[in-house]
Structure formats: C-alpha cells, structure tokens
Amino acid sequence: MGNLFGILNLMRLRKTQEEILQYTNGRMAISAVPGSGKTFILSLLATKLLSQGFVNSDVGQQVLIVTYMNASVETFRASIRKNLEEIGMQPAGFDVRTLHSLALEIVQNAAGGGDGRLENLLITDETESGNFIALSVSRWIDANGELWESLLLDSSPQERVRWQSVIERITRLFIREAKNYRYTPELILDRLQQDSSKASEPLRTLSQLAEDRGRYNALEIPLLGILSEIYAQYQSALIRQSAMDFDDLIWHASEILQSDQEAASALRQRWPYVLEDEAQDSVPLQEHLLELITGEDGNWVRVGDPNQAITSTFTAAHPKQFNKFLDRDDVKTLPLPHSGRNAPTIFGAANNLVNWVCDDHPVPEVRANAFRRQVILPTPEEDGQPNPSDDESSIKISVFKQREEEELPQVAEMAITYSNDHPDHTLAILVPTNNLGYEMARQLDENGADYDDQLRSDNQIKEIAASLTAVLSLLADPLDKKALAGTYSALHELGHPALASDELIPERIHTILLSVHKPESFLFAADDEELGTSLPRSVASDAELRFLKRFSSYLRSLFEMRPLGFDDLILALSDELYTAKNGENDRRADRKQEMDLAIAYQLSGAARSWLDIHPEWRLPEICAQLANVARGSHSISFNSRGESGYKPKPGCITLATQHGAKGMEWDAVFIVGIDGAWIPSDLDAPFFGIRMPSGSDPSAEAIAHLRLLMEGSAGLYAGRSATETAHIEVICERLRLFYVGITRARRYLHISRSRTTRHFDREVDTEPATVLGVLYRYIRDKATSRPVA
C-alpha cells in the first residue's frame, strides 16, 4: 500500500515509532512515557495491519482494540476511520471495545448457546454491588449476633454503624482480591475447613503459619472466616437475582473460553490481532481473559506506562503486572520515549524524580517498585510536536505557613494572575483530595475566577439528571400530564430562552399544564383552536395561551429527536438544553452551562453502559435509572476529564484532582498540598485509610491471610507485615501521582505545601515531603547551570 507509506513519510515518524510499525506478529509490549502518543501509534498500527493484508475482512476478521474507558472507544474509532479513509480504504475490519463489553458478548453468546444460567442476566454496577455487600453484611450480623457483639468496643449505635461500615469496606476489597485470583467462596471455605484453626484463630496466627514472613500487627478476631462467609452470602444474593458483578463477568467469560475450545478458536479467527491500550491499568482477571482470547501463540500488542499506574490502592490493577509482561522472554519490548508535551526543564524534573526514587529513596521497597527506570526524551528536530522552549518555561516551589489561610488563597490569586497575564494559555490547579478541592473552589469563587470545576458537584449532577429525566419522560409517554408539567418546570429552572416570559407566573403555568385533558391535542395541535380545546375552558388568559402555543411548538421540535438511539438522543437533548444562550454576557453562567453540558455528555455515556448491561431496556427504563441518579440513590462513576474528552479553554482555570488530571495537559499547572502527609517519606508517617487502634490495616491483613491460605505465600515484601506492605504501596502510588501531575505542565509548574493545616478546628503541623527537597535542589542546580544572558 504505497499510499500508506506516503502518508507515513509526510508524518515524519520518529525512529521509535517506525520500529513499532515494523511489527507483524507475536507478543509485543510498548512502554510509553507521558505525551508520547499512545493512541496515535496504536491507531497507525491497526491501519498498517489492515492495509497490508494481515487481517482478511472479507471473511469477517478484524483487528480488535481493547481499552478500559468508554470515551476512548470513540477516539480510537474516529482515528482509525480517518487513517483508512485517507488511504482510500473502507473504514471496516476493526473493532474497538471496552473489556467489559467484550466479556459481555462472550457471556451472552454462551447464553444463546443454551446456558440457562445466563438467561435474563443482570450485570451490577459498583453502586448495586455495594448494596449487595451491605445486605450480605447485615445478614451475616443477624446470623452471628454473639460474635458480632464481641467485635464492638461498646453497644452504642455509633459504634455499630462504624463497625458495619468498616466491615463493608474490607469485604469489598476482600471480594475484589478473591475474584481477581479466581477464588470462589466455596473454595476458600473448603480450605479453611481443612484447617479449621485458620478460620477460628485471630489473624496474629498468620506469623506462626508463614515461615517467610516477618512481624505482624493484627486483629484479635477471626476476620478471614468472617469475610469468607460474607463473600458466600454476597454470591448467593447475586445468583438469586440472576446477576453478576463486573469481576464475575470477566471471570465467567474466561471460564467459557477455557472450557469451550470451539468458542475460543472462533474468537481467535475473528480477532487475529489484539491491541490493548492503557495496559498498566489491567487487573489480573482482565489480563487472563486477553491471554485466552489471543491464545498461546497469538498476536497481542500491549501499550502502557507503568509509571502512570495510579489506581493500585483502590483497584486490583498494579504496575507489577505490566512490568512482568514487559520483561517476559517471549515478548518483544519497545520504548516510546519521546514526548513533545513538556519543556525540557519540566520533563527533566519528572526524570529527576524517577531517578532519585530508584536510587536514593529511604525505603528500599519503594526504590525497587515505585517506578520503572525510563526517561522522557525530547522530540527530535523538525518533529511535528516540538517541545516548548526552556526560555519560556519555569518551575517554582512555594512553602506557606498555613494551608487554609495562606496556601489556598494565594495559589488561587497566582493562578488568576497567570491567567490574566497569559490569556492564550491553559492552566490548572491540581489538588490531592476532593475536600481540598472544595476549599480551593471556595477561594476561586471569592476571587470571581473564571474556572471549570472538574470535581463534579453531586448537586450539579443530580440537577442535570433531573432535567434530562423530565424531558425524556415526556418523550417516552406524551400522554403523561405530570411529565408535561415536569418538563416545563425543568426547562424553567434551566432558564431556557424558549420559556422566557417576565409577565407570567411559573407556578400558574405548571398548574395549567396539569389540567390539560387532551395532551395529544396540546402537543400536536394543527392550529390554535385545537390547542385551546386541549385545555379546560377559560383556564388560561390570552397571554398564557400565547406562551403555551410557543411552548407546544418547542416541544414538537424535541419530539423530532425521538427516533434517535438512546445515547444519541441524550446527546442531542444535551446540546439543545445546555447550549441555548440566555442573552446575558456572564462568564460564570457560561462556565456553569459548559459544565452542565459536560455532565450531560457523561450521563449519555452512562446510558450507553446501562444498555450494554441491560440490552432489553427501553426509554422508560433509562428514565427510571436517570431518576435514581437525580434522587441520589444511584451513583455514576464519572471518568476523568482526559477520559471524557474535556478540553481546557485558554484563560480559564481547570480545578481537578491529581487522579482526574491523567490524560490531560495544560500550559501551566499549580499542584497544591504536597506535604509529608500526602507523600509520606517513610513507614513512620501517618497514613489515610482503614485503621485499627493497634495501627494495623485490617483489609491488608485479611488479604495477606487469604493469599497465604490459598497460595502458601502472603505476597508481602520480605520482612514486612501486611500493613507495612500496604503502606509501601501507598507511598509508591503517591509518588506516581506526583509524576503524573508534573508531566501535565507544558511551560510552567508551581508546587506548594504548608507548614500547618486545620484539622477539626485544630492547627496541625505537617511534615515536609522529602521529594520536594529533591526537586528544589534540581531547580537550584538548573538555575545555576543556565548561561547568563
């Protein structure tokens, strides 16, 4: 395909990119630094495989691209489609899937083959799974009252609620671990039964059972037996409802392929090449499923960055899994080291962080496990993505006396000043936690800042869900008078210009709409006379009738969207409801309108996910689920802004968490709260999370005990307790989060901390983060080495 090569030549590919595109078969792993173009190179590789005949689309073969985020699916589709069209090929022969939609298809196909267990299958989301766990914990308590009472320090309601919440949190982590290593509750309980002492003795006996383990802080309760019984209750509850959680879905898809070689062979024939994005976020179950799909000698390309693995403390994903794949003998490993995102000073700071941690961090396990030693390199000369110049770039570290009264307000003022001085630049304030983000938002509000709050106010989400529910309910049932009146109220609350009228009383319009006795005549009136007959005689004044005529006409325009697919319908409604201008030149109003639209788009993505899980749902079911979101009884796991397609606007501050910043970039970044509490320097520092009076982490202890029971090894760092091992993982992930934050900045990076902070109306001293001293020395040395102009 000469056309493809011509396009590639025009692109001036880097040598490392060209080497990746030489791939033809087998296992390949690509370790990509931030900003190196993972989506770009995977899309090009898929195009190359299709254009050069490695995949025969005439017999139904496809290149399969697997990602872990719904928003990335459309990004990949659009990129590959564009590439194929540019070389004169039909946009066919490829499929882009999330791992969950892939597993669901495998399971549903098995159901079509006569597996009665899978008929009418329900897939629970995180909220529904949490409800099942809470129910299972309650049932266990009811059945084990005496043992439950022995866990409580006192019999107060507060103590009972606290302990039940703790057990629910530990159970969630325990079940996640058990499923990712494919331990059924029956298997665990059977193993416990073989040595009943392990179920009845406290966890401190773990040190007696593991010869290779060091000291243990532990609970004086039989936690492993308790959690295993709750796990069994949880699975029974799912089975009774013909339900699976996401881990069950992937696990069951794996079991199908293991037991049905014909099904596995059919998938390998259909998808002879599998390209996986964001491989550092893959959990053991997901990696196992892709191993089965590709087969022992299959073609599997994995792209990721272990140094950007920032979910290991709250998911089963861990960078050690992708690192292990990168180091396999049967895998060809290639780097993607060049990035044009950051100025050399800034990516040099990130490289300095990695090198210091790998060489000199005071905790040896952190030195060995926090980062993969790889450096970010500048792009070559005449590259299409040149690095910003150091002449226009800088890094600054500020230390404040007090966080709430100095650091937050002064950083807010600095960000506003930067925005005013550089109106063509994008900028962000990154916070470690949502709570600190809410404080920063208050400071920005007090200063009248123009900013996008990416922390996702729960109330704003509920408001958008409520307005979409109101309109969709009317589209679902045009004869519902309550839906008709509810749509008016929702649009009025939005301040939609279609309802603008200073002379009318909204409550009266709502009442009139409830009195409509012929909704079909009101909505689809042929003329004014027919519209009048839909209302009780003399119920509306002439001014009200004129408004109702305008309102009816507007609703008819919304009904024209009704034939669209559900997610497209929500997108179209979102564009109509949240982009209409009210005529005011108000930047805050514009910002809220844009945030409303972003949330509505995320809800459209959620609707698509619901339909993947419940393909039998129609518009009324979608409305009911949106109504649950509006009431707060169903939560949505929103993607980070980089994942959702959010694009920062020049001159407008983005407020986000460090986690939420992944996948994004700004000209200037202000990172706040980088102290020793957020990035502990050693194991003596205090940590967030579940804690017992003894200082132990019960979830870490229980999971270690589980692994020891099932595998003969607790999977801990040599000589460390389970709690210490968990704390080491926290340090590693916080350092990787800091690395992600640094590499978001193109031209200017500001890092700050405070010596004290307010905690429950009390001033608390904060220790400095050792890593800040390392970066300070880097900045100082960089400044002294620069030539004087």
Side-chain angles (χ1 to χ4, degrees):
M1 283 285 178
N3 285 342
L4 175 62
F5 293 129
I7 290 172
L8 295 182
N9 287 332
L10 289 174
M11 288 180 178
R12 293 179 179 173
L13 293 178
R14 303 161 194 162
K15 289 184 179 180
T16 51
Q17 294 172 329
E18 290 176 349
E19 189 173 1
I20 289 168
L21 292 179
Q22 296 302 311
Y23 168 84
T24 57
N25 64 283
R27 302 287 207 254
M28 184 167 73
I30 303 168
S31 187
V33 302
S36 57
K38 297 191 300 295
T39 300
F40 170 77
I41 199 65
L42 266 189
S43 299
L44 268 187
L45 181 55
T47 305
K48 172 258 178 96
L49 293 171
L50 289 166
S51 65
Q52 296 185 3
F54 287 92
V55 173
N56 188 351
S57 59
D58 291 339
V59 297
Q61 288 188 335
Q62 296 175 311
V63 176
L64 175 65
I65 298 91
V66 178
T67 184
Y68 297 94
M69 301 170 292
N70 280 320
S72 296
V73 172
E74 289 305 320
T75 300
F76 272 109
R77 282 178 181 160
S79 179
I80 298 170
R81 188 183 299 115
K82 180 174 180 289
N83 289 343
L84 292 172
E85 289 173 347
E86 285 182 353
I87 59 174
M89 290 185 64
Q90 290 296 317
F94 66 95
D95 194 2
V96 187
R97 298 290 194 92
T98 63
L99 214 291
H100 289 137
S101 69
L102 180 63
L104 183 62
E105 179 178 323
I106 295 170
V107 171
Q108 288 176 333
N109 286 343
D115 189 340
R117 297 171 302 166
L118 304 179
E119 293 181 3
N120 302 315
L121 176 67
L122 299 176
I123 307 299
T124 63
D125 60 19
E126 290 182 12
T127 301
E128 292 163 337
S129 296
N131 292 337
F132 276 115
I133 287 174
L135 176 64
S136 302
V137 170
S138 295
R139 286 177 173 169
W140 183 90
I141 291 172
D142 291 340
N144 298 272
E146 186 174 342
L147 178 55
W148 171 248
E149 293 292 335
S150 71
L151 305 181
L152 306 176
L153 296 177
D154 58 60
S155 59
S156 67
Q158 293 83 357
E159 176 71 359
R160 293 176 184 277
V161 170
R162 185 185 74 85
W163 253 105
Q164 184 157 351
S165 176
V166 166
I167 294 296
E168 287 175 12
R169 291 169 64 191
I170 298 171
T171 299
R172 186 175 295 109
L173 297 172
F174 179 85
I175 291 175
R176 181 196 71 191
E177 186 77 9
K179 290 189 175 184
N180 265 280
Y181 290 94
R182 305 190 296 282
Y183 307 144
T184 65
E186 294 78 15
L187 183 61
I188 300 170
L189 290 168
D190 181 63
R191 193 70 60 85
L192 284 170
Q193 187 64 32
Q194 294 174 23
D195 187 348
S196 59
S197 63
K198 295 180 185 177
S200 59
E201 290 182 3
L203 283 181
R204 59 186 171 82
T205 60
L206 187 57
S207 60
Q208 302 165 6
L209 299 170
E211 295 179 0
D212 61 339
R213 293 280 68 85
R215 48 199 161 74
Y216 255 80
N217 291 322
L219 299 174
E220 297 296 322
I221 57 172
L223 189 55
L224 184 59
I226 291 173
L227 295 175
S228 301
E229 292 175 4
I230 296 172
Y231 179 19
Q233 290 261 15
Y234 171 75
Q235 287 303 109
S236 296
L238 290 176
I239 291 170
R240 284 194 298 271
Q241 297 296 322
S242 298
M244 289 183 180
D245 60 25
F246 284 129
D247 286 333
D248 284 329
L249 177 65
I250 296 171
W251 186 356
H252 194 68
S254 300
E255 287 183 328
I256 290 169
L257 298 186
Q258 280 185 304
S259 61
D260 188 344
Q261 290 303 310
E262 185 177 339
S265 179
L267 290 184
R268 290 168 196 156
Q269 174 64 24
R270 176 181 173 187
W271 295 313
Y273 286 86
V274 176
L275 313 183
E276 179 189 0
D277 185 35
E278 301 289 359
Q280 79 278 350
D281 293 331
S282 178
V283 303
L285 269 177
Q286 295 167 348
E287 186 172 339
H288 179 62
L289 177 59
L290 291 180
E291 285 270 14
L292 292 168
I293 289 174
T294 55
E296 185 175 348
D297 300 318
N299 306 311
W300 184 13
V301 178
R302 310 186 73 194
V303 181
D305 181 2
N307 292 350
Q308 294 189 79
I310 56 173
T311 64
S312 62
T313 56
F314 55 89
T315 74
H318 195 285
K320 66 183 179 184
Q321 289 145 206
F322 186 47
N323 276 323
K324 184 178 179 180
F325 188 88
L326 285 163
D327 295 332
R328 275 170 47 172
D329 292 336
D330 65 331
V331 172
K332 181 176 182 179
T333 298
L334 294 175
L336 203 56
H338 299 92
S339 172
R341 173 184 291 168
N342 319 108
T345 293
I346 293 173
F347 73 67
N351 290 339
N352 184 262
L353 167 65
V354 170
N355 290 332
W356 173 78
V357 171
C358 291
D359 292 333
D360 299 313
H361 196 281
V363 180
E365 296 88 349
V366 174
R367 289 199 298 270
N369 295 279
F371 289 108
R372 187 177 185 88
R373 193 189 289 275
Q374 60 185 23
V375 297
I376 303 171
L377 300 177
T379 54
E381 290 185 13
E382 299 184 2
D383 190 89
Q385 187 191 20
N387 298 86
S389 168
D390 266 349
D391 293 338
E392 57 180 21
S393 305
S394 63
I395 305 176
K396 182 179 180 181
I397 295 175
S398 297
V399 179
F400 297 92
K401 180 179 179 181
Q402 208 281 338
R403 174 172 295 163
E404 289 77 14
E405 295 177 4
E406 290 188 14
E407 181 181 5
L408 299 186
Q410 289 191 35
V411 169
E413 290 173 4
M414 290 178 191
I416 294 169
T417 299
Y418 184 96
S419 177
N420 292 334
D421 292 344
H422 304 84
D424 57 333
H425 283 194
T426 58
L427 70 158
I429 300 175
L430 305 183
V431 294
T433 65
N434 281 324
N435 285 339
L436 197 59
Y438 299 147
E439 288 293 320
M440 179 58 78
R442 187 170 62 82
Q443 296 295 335
L444 292 170
D445 284 334
E446 289 180 359
N447 282 276
D450 182 21
Y451 74 102
D452 281 337
D453 184 354
Q454 298 298 305
L455 302 179
R456 300 295 189 197
S457 162
D458 285 343
N459 287 336
Q460 194 171 359
I461 294 168
K462 292 175 183 177
E463 288 171 3
I464 300 306
S467 58
L468 283 173
T469 300
V471 178
L472 287 170
S473 295
L474 180 62
L475 298 184
D477 186 359
L479 301 182
D480 185 344
K481 292 186 289 186
K482 289 184 178 179
L484 177 63
T487 297
Y488 164 77
S489 296
L491 294 175
H492 181 266
E493 285 293 320
L494 289 174
H496 197 284
L499 276 70
S501 179
D502 295 332
E503 59 189 43
L504 302 179
I505 301 172
E507 292 79 9
R508 176 161 169 76
I509 297 297
H510 185 273
T511 301
I512 292 172
L513 290 171
L514 285 175
S515 72
V516 170
H517 52 74
K518 291 183 179 180
E520 67 278 15
S521 296
F522 179 84
L523 290 170
F524 307 106
D527 50 37
D528 293 352
E529 183 177 349
E530 184 178 356
L531 186 144
T533 63
S534 70
L535 300 167
R537 182 172 299 180
S538 302
V539 72
S541 66
D542 290 343
E544 290 166 342
L545 283 171
R546 286 193 296 273
F547 170 81
L548 291 171
K549 177 184 176 182
R550 180 157 50 93
F551 180 48
S552 172
S553 176
Y554 176 72
L555 292 180
R556 284 196 295 277
S557 72
L558 298 184
F559 271 94
E560 292 176 3
M561 304 176 188
R562 183 64 181 82
L564 295 171
F566 296 140
D567 52 338
D568 288 336
L569 173 60
I570 295 177
L571 285 174
L573 277 177
S574 302
D575 288 336
E576 168 58 35
L577 298 180
Y578 309 114
T579 59
K581 295 291 184 181
N582 57 14
E584 298 178 7
N585 186 17
D586 186 335
R587 295 181 73 185
R588 285 197 184 188
D590 287 345
R591 186 179 71 237
K592 181 182 183 304
Q593 191 175 70
E594 290 163 3
M595 282 295 296
D596 287 349
L597 185 62
I599 292 173
Y601 277 16
Q602 292 266 8
L603 287 170
S604 172
R608 186 185 306 118
S609 299
W610 299 335
L611 290 167
D612 285 342
I613 296 169
H614 307 287
E616 76 283 359
W617 279 13
R618 296 295 178 263
L619 193 53
E621 287 82 7
I622 296 293
C623 290
Q625 190 75 318
L626 280 172
N628 287 335
V629 174
R631 288 192 294 268
S633 58
H634 183 91
S635 61
I636 300 295
S637 297
F638 283 101
N639 297 324
S640 74
R641 311 297 73 77
E643 297 166 4
S644 65
Y646 167 79
K647 287 183 172 55
K649 298 181 296 297
C652 179
I653 300 167
T654 302
L655 176 61
T657 62
Q658 291 177 37
H659 274 102
K662 185 181 174 186
M664 300 184 65
E665 62 183 72
W666 296 267
D667 292 300
V669 171
F670 296 79
I671 307 177
V672 302
I674 303 299
D675 55 30
W678 180 246
I679 306 180
S681 300
D682 53 44
L683 298 182
D684 294 328
F687 285 80
F688 299 107
I690 304 172
R691 285 302 162 275
M692 304 308 297
S694 64
S696 66
D697 181 332
S699 58
E701 299 284 345
I703 289 171
H705 200 177
L706 172 68
R707 297 297 302 279
L708 181 66
L709 175 72
M710 305 304 293
E711 304 292 338
S713 170
L716 307 180
Y717 293 119
R720 299 293 193 183
S721 71
T723 296
E724 289 168 334
T725 294
H727 288 183
I728 289 167
E729 296 296 352
V730 168
I731 295 175
C732 290
E733 183 161 302
R734 297 283 172 79
L735 287 166
R736 290 192 293 269
L737 261 176
F738 190 37
Y739 174 85
V740 168
I742 291 171
T743 55
R744 301 310 96 185
R746 289 178 51 77
R747 294 178 171 86
Y748 179 70
L749 175 64
H750 183 276
I751 306 166
S752 62
R753 77 167 184 92
S754 296
R755 294 190 175 93
T756 66
T757 185
R758 191 172 300 119
H759 185 68
F760 293 115
D761 298 324
R762 187 167 57 90
E763 287 297 315
V764 178
D765 292 335
T766 61
E767 293 294 323
T770 304
V771 69
L772 271 195
V774 174
L775 288 187
Y776 177 80
R777 289 191 293 274
Y778 164 81
I779 296 169
R780 181 195 61 196
D781 294 346
K782 193 81 173 174
T784 57
S785 65
R786 279 190 177 184
V788 178

